[in-house]
Amino acid sequence: MLHDTLARPLRNLRLSVTDRCNLRCLYCMPEADYVWLPREDLLHFEEIATLVDVFLSLGVDKIRLTGGEPLLRRDLAALVRMISGKPGLADLALTTNGILLEDQIDGLAAAGLRRITVSLDTLRRDRFVALARFDEVDRVKAGMNAAHRVFGAFKIDTVVIKGVNDDELSDLIEFGRPLAAEVRFIEYMDVGGATQWSPAHVMSRQEMLAALSARYGRIEPISEPASSAPAERYRLPDGTTFGIIASTTDPFCRTCDRSRLTADGMWFLCLYATDGLDLRKALRSGASVDELKELIAAGWRGRDDRGAEVRLALGERRAFVPINTLRLNPHLEMHTRGG
Ligand code: SAM
């Protein structure tokens, strides 16, 4: 297995299939307009499949399809079909906002998708519209019903923002319970795109646990065998479980085995990295599989990123990338990089 300078293995690849999104969440895409990746730069499915083979040969065994909104990529099921059966792939998952899920889920499952995470920050229509700026909460809920029908269990990812949805933690847990959906609360991060981020809006893991204890009583941490998963999991007195991803106040850089491939083939080794490796250029200039393998292996061996820890050590924090810089380099955006 391939390890970086901090002995972290290359295992987990997040594959962004588009930078487009059908929501405009204020913590991710707050601006009025965006610079999009040129269409001709987007990797074709065959190119993605070639890169997937190379990554699998180097030790990656988990792939998550993301975006932007991955369900906006035409015929995503065809890509799933191309990669789901590849030897060495232990886990193929999808992160989606759920809007188009009800329509697509049967095709995705038939193509070999096994796991789904749906992002949902609020159950309330007025809040959803204010936060995501489209009136789509009903379609998201319909998508979640479909996820329950097809996969049984699934996950819900919720970004918690003080003064926005911090009073809905238990409502979301209650909503998820009959759907067998485990909610994972994510601390608001100062990633590229979050131009309105401020420390005052971050609800920390401790604060979340305090709010949930006030409602449910004793909350038990679930101890899990050493894992690189970013969520700490907890159990309520009735057995319901949930997770918290404390990426802002207690980053998991030490065990981070993730890298990200953008829809146009830039490979980033950290959510906070400012530079990536241009795999599209290598692919389209005729690099052989062995050459691609060496390029990627060399990139990972040299990896020393600890972006979230570096941010935490800053003390005084504000948005990671100012808007004018984002306009010049859309690869710094979370919706381009793949959340
Ligand atoms: N469109 C898909 C979705 O909504 O799940 C996939 C892409 S989205 C960028 C992936 C995840 O990143 C979502 O769960 C979203 O809430 C999260 N995210 C985006 N900006 C964030 C921020 N500033 N802090 C924490 N999480 C963020």
Side-chain angles (χ1 to χ4, degrees), residues 34-177:
Y34 283 91
V35 179
W36 305 106
L37 299 177
R39 281 193 184 272
E40 63 274 18
D41 285 357
L42 299 193
L43 297 182
H44 308 300
F45 287 171
E46 291 72 18
E47 292 174 314
I48 296 177
T50 299
L51 289 177
V52 163
D53 282 335
V54 176
F55 278 106
L56 291 175
S57 75
L58 288 169
V60 164
D61 63 354
K62 292 172 156 208
I63 293 181
R64 178 171 291 274
L65 302 172
T66 181
E69 171 46 40
L71 301 188
L72 289 177
R73 178 79 189 239
R74 191 184 306 164
D75 203 9
L76 184 66
L79 178 66
V80 170
R81 203 171 309 116
M82 285 167 82
I83 60 181
S84 61
K86 288 195 183 285
L89 183 60
D91 184 24
L92 178 63
L94 169 81
T95 296
T96 170
N97 62 30
I99 295 173
L100 300 173
L101 193 54
E102 191 181 24
D103 295 342
Q104 297 190 25
I105 196 162
D106 291 310
L108 291 166
L113 186 72
R114 290 287 164 263
R115 236 156 51 75
I116 270 194
T117 300
V118 184
S119 301
L120 177 65
D121 307 311
T122 176
L123 296 163
R124 304 190 196 172
R125 161 168 278 118
D126 56 333
R127 275 194 189 172
F128 190 98
V129 174
L131 184 62
R133 291 177 290 165
F134 284 88
D135 188 3
E136 292 287 14
V137 73
D138 290 340
R139 281 213 284 176
V140 177
K141 288 178 182 171
M144 290 186 170
N145 286 330
H148 179 51
R149 170 176 62 77
V150 172
F151 292 109
F154 66 101
K155 292 205 173 83
I156 297 176
D157 272 5
T158 300
V159 181
V160 184
I161 304 183
K162 267 193 190 164
V164 173
N165 62 347
D166 53 340
D167 56 350
E168 278 192 72
L169 307 194
S170 54
D171 291 349
L172 284 155
I173 288 178
E174 298 299 318
F175 171 79
R177 190 184 285 128

